[in-house]
Amino acid sequence: MMSELTNFSTMIDGMYGGDQKNFGGISKPWKEIEGCGFVAIANCYGYYKYKKSGYKKPYTKAEFIKLMEEVYTHFDFEIGIFYENIFIDKCTSFAKKKNCNVNCTTRNFNSSDFYESIAISLKVNVPVALLSKGGGGNGKFNNHWVLVTGIDKIVKDKIITGYKLTISS
């Protein structure tokens, strides 16, 4: 059974969540490569605001790129976010700046609770940021942040053989 964030696909007109490619050429082209953590935070915050509006006030592409830039400039460093604790600190401090109360936690998933942990959050429309370790950033870096917007079990002959994630990155 698929679990997914309600109306995430309509949060930004013409886009499925923020995209780090939209950083290209804005002020520092390398943000297109190292901007995944900033985009994940913008997606989380943007979704929170969209949900709070009753899913009635979607962002334009230009408005969301402005939000991505605002998240980026909130930080006091210019490189990617490589560790979960830094992501949580930065996500929380940005939300506080915007008068938004968030509760960020970190988890190490194992195969037995991976699906349920993510599905429970998505069922109550809480975004899940996931740090994929070991291959991301267009092959130039080892880690890549994504926002999980949906998860489904892959079942063959009544046996769960894997999971399908829907992401925005």
Side-chain angles (χ1 to χ4, degrees):
M1 156 121 355
M2 178 75 154
S3 294
E4 60 187 331
L5 293 175
T6 300
N7 294 327
F8 184 84
S9 63
T10 60
M11 179 176 75
I12 308 169
D13 186 36
M15 291 174 50
Y16 189 78
D19 188 332
Q20 70 191 75
K21 286 187 247 175
N22 295 128
F23 275 133
I26 293 174
S27 59
K28 295 191 177 173
W30 57 263
K31 287 189 287 188
E32 182 177 340
I33 298 168
E34 291 185 346
C36 58
F38 307 112
V39 173
I41 291 171
N43 275 332
C44 288
Y45 177 75
Y47 184 76
Y48 168 81
K49 293 294 285 184
Y50 186 48
K51 181 172 77 169
K52 195 171 179 181
S53 79
Y55 307 108
K56 294 178 182 165
K57 295 180 183 176
Y59 290 86
T60 65
K61 183 177 179 179
E63 288 170 336
F64 203 81
I65 291 171
K66 184 177 176 182
L67 174 61
M68 288 168 38
E69 282 291 323
E70 184 180 0
V71 169
Y72 175 80
T73 57
H74 174 71
F75 298 99
D76 56 357
F77 58 91
E78 294 185 346
I79 59 172
I81 302 171
F82 300 112
Y83 302 101
E84 294 91 339
N85 61 332
I86 293 173
F87 182 90
I88 288 172
D89 289 347
K90 297 304 180 181
C91 190
T92 303
S93 69
F94 181 77
K96 185 176 181 179
K97 172 187 169 187
K98 303 294 271 181
N99 295 316
C100 173
N101 185 22
V102 298
N103 180 19
C104 299
T105 60
T106 183
R107 289 216 40 197
N108 288 318
F109 297 110
N110 60 46
S111 59
S112 66
D113 69 354
F114 178 80
Y115 173 82
E116 288 303 320
S117 296
I118 293 175
I120 288 168
S121 291
L122 298 178
K123 284 177 185 175
V124 293
N125 294 310
V126 173
V128 176
L130 182 69
L131 179 59
S132 173
K133 296 183 177 184
N138 302 324
K140 298 179 183 182
F141 300 98
N142 290 327
N143 302 324
H144 186 63
W145 284 100
V146 298
L147 188 74
V148 179
T149 61
I151 188 168
D152 202 0
K153 294 178 184 176
I154 300 170
V155 179
K156 184 173 182 169
D157 298 326
K158 298 182 182 179
I159 298 173
I160 299 170
T161 60
Y163 305 98
K164 177 184 175 191
L165 297 177
T166 305
I167 63 167
S168 178
S169 127

